[in-house]
């Protein structure tokens, strides 16, 4: 049975044949949210499009964000009204039309610490925040006394605030959202292929007319012919720029953001929190049975693929959150740590947190467009701008962007299925809360997931060492969602690598065994995948004990790559 948008082993082989045998309107480089969004934007305009990613979908920045769809409250203070308005409109679209199964409202407390001026000042900012986004699918701000704020967040010290304001934003599992955007692009005809690294540009006279790629799983190489190429590689933008041989119009600076994950019972609260720091803000974000706490904001000039968190980063987060908590968090409370790199447009200011989160698009050479900067929330706008910029190199007149009207796979029918969750659970023989968990990850694609267990009821049992996830989710990740390696499932298709103190190590053998059935792994391959994953986790743990970036990077980069034939840097 053909499943629209499926990214499985058979589709992967067919995609390779298509990449080498067809001519495309656009080739998009980069499988993060901007690249996936660009492929979807182009495909829904009727263009022939291919998306290639050297590693896995969302394997870079797009799986390591704060996992918020938000307007960026702090950008109001920087007077970036246009950016905030645009982001709030996108938040509204995601919640209501594009991805209601993946993007959910989340409440935050803004603690007030100064008398007289702070409440009206913050209220005015939040009033703008509440009204700039147009139609509202989240409640407006609510003012609280100190007693009211402490009832909402009992974990706070009494002297940490004089009152508070509750407001709402939205959140999503960033890696799952990005992967769903890519699958939706495939559903509309895009060729989407991971583990496919660009190793050179194809040129005709002075124009870029395609790319040369290598399959980093088996070493095969081919050329992809296209009318235009879009560089959507985030922090790798400058590297791809060098590969093209043309001079860039802007440079990208990598800013490292680190988050920690702690159990939900360590912070007693009904809402998340946004806390001011001397440099920026610190979020405490509800995440299932956990909290995500972050982030840091520091320059990073080392390995772009595997940014490392240091002990100093973790201490910074603990110090700032503990300043307001009655019961402080310790290193022993931490279940997971992750570090990501923001692709900021290089500006004159030396402080990365002051750099604009606006994005830039440039046609850097005939047939070659680059897009960088921006923020996760505005990926759809960035994608539309990138395709518009490439239009000059495409034959004929292209249609306008319509992705504001295109729900992601799983969105259609989601609300009805939520109402039918109990019947669905009874039919499948699982607890209703399991079905709700699946609905908030797959939406109406839940039927595809459950179908894999029709003749194998054991797949509806949870993973032994990661009971939040069912075994069938691993099978589906491998057969439909493009997972090729153990880390793809443990770090991105699920979030086991940050949600359990064992970081996925205890689940590795069981997960590898389930993946093996789909990918045809023998015992030696299973053993190798488990060893590679364990080495990755150990390298991350070791790096997190180091005092500075250089020491942490040296330890993190010792872990071998799951994709053995990848080259870094590419140029």
């Amino acid at each position: 049975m053909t499943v629209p948008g499926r990214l499985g082993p058979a589709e992967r082989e067919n995609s390779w044949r298509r990449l080498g045998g067809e001519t495309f309107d656009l080739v998009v480089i980069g499988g993060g949210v901007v690249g996936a969004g660009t492929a979807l934007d182009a495909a829904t305009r009727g263009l022939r499009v291919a998306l290639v990613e050297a590693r896995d979908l969302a394997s870079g920045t797009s799986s390591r964000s704060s996992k918020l769809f938000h307007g960026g409250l702090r950008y109001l203070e920087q007077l970036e009204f246009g950016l905030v308005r645009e982001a709030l409109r996108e938040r509204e679209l995601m919640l209501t039309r594009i991805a209601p199964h993946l993007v959910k409202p989340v409440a935050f407390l803004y603690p007030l610490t100064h008398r007289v001026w702070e409440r009206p000042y913050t209220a005015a900012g939040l009033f703008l925040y509440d009204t700039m986004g147009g139609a509202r699918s989240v409640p407006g701000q609510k003012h609280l006394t100190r007693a009211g704020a402490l009832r909402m967040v009992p974990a706070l010290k009494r002297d940490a605030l004089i009152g508070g304001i509750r407001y709402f934003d939205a959140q999503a599992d960033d890696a799952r959202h990005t992967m769903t955007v890519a699958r939706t692009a495939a559903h509309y005809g895009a060729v989407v292929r991971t583990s496919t690294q660009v190793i050179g540009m194809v040129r005709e006279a002075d124009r870029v007319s395609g790319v040369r790629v290598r399959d980093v799983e088996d070493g095969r190489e081919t050329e992809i012919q296209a009318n235009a190429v879009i560089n959507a590689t985030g922090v790798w933008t400058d590297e791809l720029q060098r590969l093209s041989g043309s001079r860039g119009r802007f440079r990208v600076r990598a800013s490292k953001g680190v988050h920690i994950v702690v159990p939900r019972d360590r912070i007693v609260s009904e809402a998340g929190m946004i806390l001011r720091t001397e440099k920026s803000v610190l979020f405490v974000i509800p995440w299932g049975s956990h909290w995500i706490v972050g982030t840091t904001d520091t320059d990073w000039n080392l390995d772009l693929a595997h940014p490392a968190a240091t002990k100093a980063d973790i201490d910074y987060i603990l110090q700032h959150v503990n300043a307001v908590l009655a019961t402080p968090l310790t290193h022993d409370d931490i279940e997971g740590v992750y570090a990501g790199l923001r692709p900021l447009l290089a500006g004159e200011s030396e402080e990365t947190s002051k750099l604009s989160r606006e994005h830039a698009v440039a046609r850097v050479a005939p047939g070659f467009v680059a897009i960088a900067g921006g923020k996760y929330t505005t990926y759809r706008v960035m994608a539309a701008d990138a395709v518009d910029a490439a239009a000059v190199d495409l034959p004929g007149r292209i249609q306008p962007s319509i992705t504001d009207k295109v729900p992601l796979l799983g969105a259609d029918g989601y609300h009805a299925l939520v109402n039918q969750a109990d019947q669905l659970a009874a039919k499948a023989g699982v607890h209703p809360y399991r079905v709700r968990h699946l609905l908030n990850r797959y939406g109406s694609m839940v039927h595809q997931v459950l179908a894999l267990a029709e003749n194998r009821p054991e797949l509806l049992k949870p993973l032994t060492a990661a009971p939040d996830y069912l075994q069938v989710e691993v099978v589906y990740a491998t057969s439909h969602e493009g997972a090729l390696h153990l880390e793809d499932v443990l770090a991105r298709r699920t979030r086991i690598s940050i949600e359990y103190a064992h970081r996925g190590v205890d689940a590795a053998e069981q997960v590898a065994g389930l993946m093996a059935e789909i990918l045809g792994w023998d015992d030696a391959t299973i053993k190798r995948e488990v060893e590679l994953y364990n080495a990755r986790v150990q390298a991350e743990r070791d790096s997190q004990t180091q005092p500075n970036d250089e020491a942490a990077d040296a330890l993190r980069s010792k872990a071998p790559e799951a994709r053995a034939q990848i080259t870094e840097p590419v140029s």
Side-chain angles (χ1 to χ4, degrees):
M1 183 178 85
T2 59
V3 176
R6 177 162 61 189
L7 303 178
E11 290 81 7
R12 179 174 172 75
E13 196 49 44
N14 183 50
S15 292
W16 183 258
R17 287 194 295 272
R18 291 187 63 190
L19 290 179
E22 298 179 17
T23 298
F24 296 88
D25 292 309
L26 284 178
V27 171
V28 181
I29 311 170
V33 75
V34 175
T38 301
L40 175 58
D41 187 273
T44 53
R45 295 194 201 200
L47 299 174
R48 296 161 302 167
V49 59
L51 169 70
V52 292
E53 159 58 43
R55 287 182 170 82
D56 183 28
L57 296 169
S59 56
T61 305
S62 293
S63 59
R64 308 178 197 191
S65 74
S66 295
K67 318 205 184 309
L68 294 175
F69 270 87
H70 64 134
L73 194 53
R74 68 192 175 97
Y75 304 126
L76 282 178
E77 281 196 276
Q78 297 170 15
L79 307 182
E80 303 242 24
F81 298 116
L83 180 66
V84 175
R85 182 182 292 107
E86 183 177 83
L88 288 171
R89 178 173 180 267
E90 292 304 307
R91 182 190 76 180
E92 183 72 17
L93 277 171
M94 294 299 149
L95 283 166
T96 56
R97 183 186 303 165
I98 295 176
H101 54 316
L102 302 175
V103 183
K104 306 291 178 187
V106 60
F108 284 97
L109 176 72
Y110 187 108
L112 299 169
T113 55
H114 297 93
R115 296 191 183 280
V116 185
W117 66 268
E118 191 180 18
R119 189 182 288 276
Y121 173 77
T122 308
L126 281 167
F127 175 76
L128 279 175
Y129 200 71
D130 283 344
T131 54
M132 284 172 97
R136 271 217 320 262
S137 53
V138 298
Q141 60 176 297
K142 180 181 179 183
H143 285 252
L144 302 163
T145 62
R146 172 154 54 186
L150 288 170
R151 275 197 300 276
M152 183 177 283
V153 187
L156 288 173
K157 294 177 184 170
R158 273 194 66 77
D159 61 1
L161 75 170
I162 58 161
I165 306 176
R166 186 211 64 189
Y167 74 98
F168 275 81
D169 254 318
Q171 72 175 163
D173 180 333
D174 48 4
R176 173 148 295 280
H177 172 266
T178 296
M179 181 273 301
T180 307
V181 174
R183 283 193 64 192
T184 308
H187 172 78
Y188 286 106
V191 176
V192 175
R193 202 169 193 278
T194 59
S195 285
T196 305
Q197 183 171 26
V198 172
I199 55 171
M201 299 287 169
V202 178
R203 288 183 168 275
E204 283 177 15
D206 68 333
R207 66 177 289 109
V208 172
S209 60
V211 293
R212 183 156 194 82
V213 294
R214 175 187 298 132
D215 183 324
V216 298
E217 302 294 335
D218 59 24
R220 289 181 290 177
E221 294 184 8
T222 194
E223 282 188 1
I224 310 174
Q225 301 294 327
N227 291 313
V229 175
I230 294 179
N231 174 6
T233 55
V235 292
W236 284 273
T237 299
D238 295 356
E239 210 170 276
L240 263 291
Q241 195 67 56
R242 285 194 294 275
L243 195 64
S244 76
S246 47
R247 187 173 166 275
R249 300 286 171 81
F250 47 75
R251 286 189 313 106
V252 172
R253 258 172 55 186
S255 163
K256 184 177 70 166
V258 173
H259 295 78
I260 63 171
V261 183
V262 300
R264 194 67 181 259
D265 62 5
R266 298 302 190 275
I267 302 174
V268 181
S269 177
E270 294 172 19
M273 284 181 281
I274 178 170
L275 308 170
R276 282 183 171 279
T277 70
E278 63 277 8
K279 293 181 186 170
S280 182
V281 293
L282 193 76
F283 284 105
V284 180
I285 304 160
W287 181 255
S289 55
H290 318 268
W291 296 99
I292 293 174
V293 189
T295 180
T296 62
D297 198 346
T298 54
D299 258 341
W300 177 264
N301 301 303
L302 301 162
D303 181 6
L304 294 177
H306 307 295
T310 64
K311 185 174 183 296
D313 293 326
I314 296 166
D315 287 344
Y316 170 89
I317 294 170
L318 289 175
Q319 175 197 337
H320 282 84
V321 75
N322 285 341
V324 300
L325 293 180
T327 306
L329 298 175
T330 70
H331 283 269
D332 292 339
D333 292 323
I334 296 173
E335 296 170 302
V337 179
Y338 63 94
L341 299 176
R342 302 174 192 86
L344 299 179
L345 296 175
E348 294 171 11
S349 166
E350 287 306 303
E351 292 181 63
T352 59
S353 60
K354 298 267 174 62
L355 289 180
S356 171
R357 297 306 297 273
E358 296 277 7
H359 63 273
V361 184
R363 182 171 176 260
V364 291
F368 191 56
V369 167
I371 180 158
K375 58 204 287 279
Y376 193 107
T377 305
T378 56
Y379 80 91
R380 199 192 59 77
V381 178
M382 295 173 68
D385 287 352
V387 177
D388 286 344
V392 67
D393 292 301
L394 303 179
R397 183 175 159 275
I398 70 167
Q399 298 295 324
S401 174
I402 58 157
T403 49
D404 59 337
K405 303 177 186 69
V406 178
L408 298 186
L409 290 184
D412 278 338
Y414 162 72
H415 294 294
L417 285 169
V418 170
N419 291 341
Q420 298 166 359
D422 288 355
Q423 297 99 296
L424 206 56
K427 187 180 172 192
V430 294
H431 196 284
Y433 91 83
R434 289 283 185 195
V435 168
R436 291 188 179 91
H437 159 92
L438 295 173
L439 284 170
N440 289 334
R441 287 169 55 73
Y442 307 96
S444 53
M445 292 188 291
V446 70
H447 296 301
Q448 296 174 15
V449 180
L450 294 173
L452 295 175
E454 270 176 12
N455 301 314
R456 297 183 60 192
E458 72 277 8
L459 292 180
L460 294 178
K461 289 191 165 60
L463 292 168
T464 308
D468 285 346
Y469 298 94
L470 300 178
Q471 295 177 41
V472 73
E473 296 185 73
V474 175
V475 176
Y476 187 78
T478 316
S479 62
H480 287 66
E481 295 180 342
L484 298 174
H485 292 281
L486 196 48
E487 72 167 67
D488 300 350
V489 172
L490 291 171
R492 288 176 288 276
R493 303 305 181 277
T494 70
R495 306 322 288 266
I496 292 169
S497 67
I498 59 169
E499 291 175 345
Y500 289 88
H502 57 71
R503 312 273 172 102
V505 168
D506 293 0
E509 284 197 28
Q510 186 180 15
V511 170
L514 291 163
M515 294 180 72
E517 302 170 26
I518 309 295
L519 296 173
W521 291 349
D522 57 17
D523 288 346
T525 308
I526 291 174
K527 182 170 182 282
R528 176 177 167 274
E529 283 285 328
V530 172
E531 286 172 353
L532 282 170
Y533 184 78
N534 289 349
R536 165 201 159 117
V537 171
Q538 192 55 53
E540 287 181 347
R541 285 189 186 280
D542 291 345
S543 69
Q544 289 156 18
T545 65
Q546 299 304 301
N548 57 51
D549 286 348
E550 289 73 22
D553 179 69
L555 290 176
R556 175 63 185 90
S557 57
K558 280 183 181 172
E561 284 275 3
R563 291 163 167 82
Q565 303 210 35
I566 203 157
T567 52
E568 188 78 35
V570 294
S571 51

